[in-house]
Amino acid sequence: MKNVTITVSDLRDMLDRGDPVTVIDIRFAEQHAEWTIPGSRNVDVYEALQMGDTRGIDSVTLPADRPVVAVCNVGRTSLLAVDRLRRRGLDARSLEGGMQAWSLAWNVAPVAVPGSSATVLQVRRTGKGCLSYLIGAGGEAAVIDPSVDPDVYAELAKQHGWRITVILDTHVHADHLSRARVLAELTGATQYLPDQQRVKFPFTALRDGDEIAVGGSRLRVLSTPGHTFESACYLLDGAALFTGDTLFVNAVGRPDLKAGDRTEATKRAHALWGSLQKIAALPSETLVLSCHTSEPIPFDRRAVVAPLAEALKAVAALGGTEKQFVKAILGRIPATPPNHLYIVGFNENGEFPPFDPAMLEAGANRCAVA
Ligand SMILES: [Fe+2]
C-alpha cells in the first residue's frame, strides 16, 4: 500500500512549496469545521465508506491535473477513498496517520519587528495551532515556547548562522508537550522558565523585570499571572511582546485549566485582568506575538501578529470593569482540551512520552476565551 500513501512531511513540503494538490478531508463536516489542513475541502463520506457505500466519493468532482490527498482521522478510511479515486484514474494518496499525524505539521513566517535589529521567525504548528518563535541576533538565538520537533529549530538556526543559547517557555503548557527540555539537551542552551514550584527538573528561574541578552538584543520578563499563576510575557527590545497564552491577537487565555475548582479559576481571572492592565500600559504599537491561535495556520508565510492596541480592542470583555471581565471570561470558558492533565503532568515532570506525542496532543486548540 506504500505507493498510495503520502507522509505528513511530504505533504507539508508540497504545501510549503505551493505545489498544486487537492486535499480532501473525508471526516464529518463538524470535524472539518473544527480543525483541518489549510485549503482542504470537506467531502463528508467517512461513515458511508465504512458502510461500504461509495456513491459519495465516486461522484465527487476533482481536478484531474493534480494529485489528490485524502485525509481522515488516522489514515485508514482514507485508504478506501483513495482506492475509489484511483479507479477513476486520479493520482490519489492517503495521508499516513491522518489528522492525528498532521498535528505535528509546521510552517514558518518571518515577523518584521520595527525597533529591533533581531530577526524573528514564527514557527507555527499548523496542525495544532501552536505558535513558537526563533529570535536571532548577533549570531545567537532564543527559542520561545518550542512546540515542534527540536530539529526544526536547530536546522533553522543553522541556516541563519545562529547558535541557540536561550530557550524559554512562557508558562507550564497544558495543550502541547513542551519541547524546551529536549531542545536544551540538543543545543546545550540555557533553559529558562518563570519562577514557580510546579516543575520537577532544573531550570533557570525568571522574575519580573529580569533581562536576558540574545546577541545585541534584550528580552525583558513581565510577570503576567492569570492563564496560569506563573505565566510570563517576554518583551523584545521594547518592541514585540511574546505573550504566551495571556493575550492572543483577538482573545485572552482561559484561566481555568488545572485550576481544581471555581475559586481558583476566579482568582486567576482577577489576576489576568491585572496582567492585561499591565500589558496595556506598553506602547500601543507593541507587537503581540502569542503562543496559540484558534485556527489552522495557512502556508502563507504571513505571521499571526497584531499591534497591542488592536489585540486589546478585540477583547470586548476588557471594555468594562474588572468584575464584569471576570464574569464574562468565566461565563465563556470553552470545552476542556482532551488529555490536558496528562500533558501538564509530562510538562511538570520534564518528561517526553515514549510514544507518539500526537496521540496526546492531536485535536483543536482550546486555550482562548474570545
Ligand atoms: Fe497554556
Side-chain angles (χ1 to χ4, degrees):
M1 295 301 269
K2 211 173 171 198
N3 56 349
V4 298
T5 64
I6 182 169
T7 62
V8 162
S9 169
D10 285 347
L11 178 59
R12 189 216 87 81
D13 289 349
M14 284 181 83
L15 294 172
D16 203 40
R17 286 191 302 261
D19 291 355
V21 57
T22 306
V23 179
I24 58 165
D25 182 340
I26 64 157
R27 299 173 304 155
F28 294 107
E30 44 294 8
Q31 288 179 293
H32 177 258
E34 188 183 36
W35 206 272
T36 191
I37 297 174
S40 73
R41 168 179 159 195
N42 184 224
V43 181
D44 184 341
V45 292
Y46 188 86
E47 199 167 29
L49 282 171
Q50 293 220 322
M51 305 288 284
D53 178 353
T54 59
R55 286 172 298 177
I57 194 72
D58 288 345
S59 60
V60 66
T61 309
L62 293 164
D65 63 345
R66 58 193 58 197
V68 180
V69 174
V71 57
C72 66
N73 295 307
V74 291
R76 279 195 290 266
T77 307
S78 50
L79 284 168
L80 303 176
V82 162
D83 174 55
R84 298 304 301 181
L85 297 173
R86 291 179 86 90
R87 285 177 197 224
R88 284 159 59 184
L90 287 162
D91 175 12
R93 315 256 157 167
S94 162
L95 182 66
E96 287 178 22
M99 283 305 290
Q100 182 174 299
W102 181 256
S103 154
L104 292 164
W106 56 276
N107 61 45
V108 179
V111 188
V113 183
S116 170
S117 56
T119 300
V120 179
L121 302 178
Q122 187 174 59
V123 182
R124 303 101 66 86
R125 187 166 161 187
T126 170
K128 176 78 196 156
C130 303
L131 306 173
S132 60
Y133 299 90
L134 180 63
I135 304 158
E140 294 183 350
V143 179
I144 298 181
D145 289 328
S147 58
V148 302
D149 193 309
D151 288 339
V152 172
Y153 305 100
E155 186 52 37
L156 283 168
K158 197 173 143 199
Q159 284 169 15
H160 286 83
W162 302 328
R163 188 167 63 88
I164 298 174
T165 53
V166 169
I167 298 167
L168 309 117
D169 269 317
T170 50
H171 62 291
V172 179
H173 297 280
D175 31 57
H176 68 263
L177 296 154
S178 171
R179 270 66 172 178
R181 204 156 176 235
V182 187
L183 184 59
E185 274 162 21
L186 181 75
T187 56
T190 307
Q191 185 183 2
Y192 296 89
L193 274 169
D195 192 25
Q196 34 70 37
Q197 311 294 322
R198 294 180 64 183
V199 307
K200 298 167 185 69
F201 55 87
F203 64 95
T204 303
L206 293 170
R207 293 175 190 89
D208 192 54
D210 283 355
E211 285 203 342
I212 302 169
V214 184
S217 283
R218 291 274 180 284
L219 284 164
R220 183 156 68 84
V221 181
L222 270 81
S223 179
T224 51
H227 173 62
T228 64
F229 279 126
E230 79 282 358
S231 285
C233 297
Y234 304 120
L235 184 64
L236 173 68
D237 297 333
L241 187 67
F242 299 92
T243 52
D245 287 350
T246 296
L247 175 64
F248 303 104
V249 294
N250 55 5
V252 296
R254 61 190 295 164
D256 66 306
L257 286 183
K258 216 184 169 239
D261 57 33
R262 179 94 177 171
T263 314
E264 189 186 321
T266 307
K267 239 168 133 180
R268 271 159 48 180
H270 279 285
L272 182 61
W273 167 269
S275 295
L276 292 166
Q277 302 308 311
K278 182 175 174 177
I279 290 172
L282 295 171
S284 59
E285 68 276 15
T286 308
L287 296 179
V288 171
L289 293 161
S290 69
C291 162
H292 288 105
T293 174
S294 301
E295 279 167 25
I297 306 144
F299 287 75
D300 59 1
R301 293 186 170 79
R302 289 177 55 188
V304 178
V305 58
L308 179 58
E310 229 172 77
L312 293 171
K313 209 172 140 197
V315 183
L318 279 169
T321 63
E322 177 172 346
K323 211 173 150 191
Q324 287 166 335
F325 171 82
V326 169
K327 194 175 170 219
I329 293 301
L330 294 179
R332 284 208 293 274
I333 298 284
T336 305
N339 303 328
H340 77 281
L341 292 177
Y342 293 109
I343 292 173
V344 168
F346 277 109
N347 285 338
E348 287 181 343
N349 290 329
E351 289 166 352
F352 208 75
F355 49 84
D356 178 1
M359 284 175 70
L360 278 182
E361 297 174 310
N365 189 270
R366 293 189 196 137
C367 300
V369 188

